[in-house]
Amino acid sequence: MSLRLSRITLREIRLALREPFEISSGVTTDRRILLLELEDVDGIKVWSECVAGERPNFSSETIDTAWLAISEWLAPRALSGSVPHPSSLSDKLGANIRGHLMARAALEMGGWALWAARESLSLSRAIGGTRSAIATGISLGIQPTQATLVDKSRTAIEAGYRKIKIKIRPGADIEYIAAVREALGADAPLMADANSAYTLRHADHLAELDPFNLMMIEQPLAHDDLRRHAQLQDRLATPICLDESITGLDRVEDMLALGSGRIVNIKAGRVGGFTPAKAVHDLCQHHGLPVWCGGMLESGVGRAYNVALASLPNFTIPGDVSPSARYWQRDIVIPEWKMDANGMVTVPTDEPGLGVRIDVDRVDDLTDRRQTLRGA
Ligand code: MG
């Protein structure tokens, strides 16, 4: 059954985080979130989320560039004609458009959800997911003291989280990781994420992390620098995981050819949607590289897409699919995302589409701007 859109509504909402989230390149206290409501010619509606942040500190995209790209170029393209299957959307949206991957992904993934709803399939099963529950990790922002980090790590383990990801930067790294390892013991599943805070000059310094037996160190060097990541990986026993660097399938091929890392964090928003994310997943699986699903401080809408993605078979490492209450006082989906005491989030496979409803009254209350585009 082909897919033909009739209306796309963009909305910006603002959700206050329970606590500020600090990474090496900045702090987020409020999350400005771009939501899309997609409707097809039969009146079926789904929601999707663009993961771009307020500032260009993760990628060059922001919520404002995404709003422009979607309203000016991408939504009119999505609204013209039909596609036989959502797997065609990525090429349709991307032809002769450089970048704007997060903007493209919001539409492309919404197209998958719409198709899933039409076919009475869960989003997970529509994209080829096989898991019924996702092992969940927590991402802890940079803390003011080692003691705070140790407290939060211990609480997370007690809550059932299966992986503790610790944000690091120069000045808040070796001693912080050492303190958590000391407090939680040799078996605690720990990793670090630098968000490009280091250069190759820090190679000896980063090698001081090796004795702490981290699952991986994520994106230590610049977002577009695969060559120096390969040089660093040669110096480290700890596996390097790439996040910001992997913007598409070609970058995984380059990573494999150069030896720039051993693990990939897949974010569908960062690669332009589910079709390219599935291609990255499949290539990694073929080459024996494990993958996991990262987070971008999504609302429960974006979370639904991450849970579906993480249900693909090669997502063998716990994903950053924390329950709603980790970030939000109150989420915008019903039911909110929950994690059980074993750190598992259930994949809603028995409901068509996202598997959660949108609390539209709450979204209305939170909406700061809105724009609707219609097909011909
Ligand atoms: Mg990361």
Side-chain angles (χ1 to χ4, degrees), residues 2 23 26 31 39 46 80 214 219 294 306 328 337 362:
S2 69
I23 68 171
R31 187 72 166 94
E39 183 174 343
V46 297
S80 89
L214 298 177
Q219 198 69 44
N306 288 350
W328 316 116
W337 292 98
R362 176 155 167 76

Side-chain angles (χ1 to χ4, degrees), residues 7-12 34-37 67-68 70-72 75-76 367-374:
R7 190 165 63 154
I8 297 169
T9 300
L10 299 81
R11 292 187 190 233
E12 178 179 338
L34 170 50
L35 297 174
L36 298 182
E37 190 178 7
W67 189 288
L68 176 78
I70 292 170
S71 60
E72 289 292 316
T367 296
D368 286 332
R369 59 173 162 161
R370 175 200 311 235
Q371 181 180 355
T372 297
L373 296 104
R374 289 183 172 78

Side-chain angles (χ1 to χ4, degrees), residues 23 58 139 165 167 191-196 218-219 241-244 265 267 270 292 294-296 320:
I23 68 171
F58 178 88
S139 177
K165 163 162 143 174
K167 295 286 188 178
M191 62 165 290
D193 184 4
N195 292 104
S196 301
E218 185 177 342
Q219 198 69 44
C241 168
L242 294 180
D243 174 0
E244 286 91 330
N265 169 349
K267 294 173 176 166
R270 197 194 58 223
W292 56 283
M296 293 287 289
D320 287 347

Side-chain angles (χ1 to χ4, degrees), residues 11-14 32 363-370:
R11 292 187 190 233
E12 178 179 338
I13 65 165
R14 185 184 290 267
R32 289 172 59 200
V363 170
D364 282 342
D365 287 344
L366 296 168
T367 296
D368 286 332
R369 59 173 162 161
R370 175 200 311 235

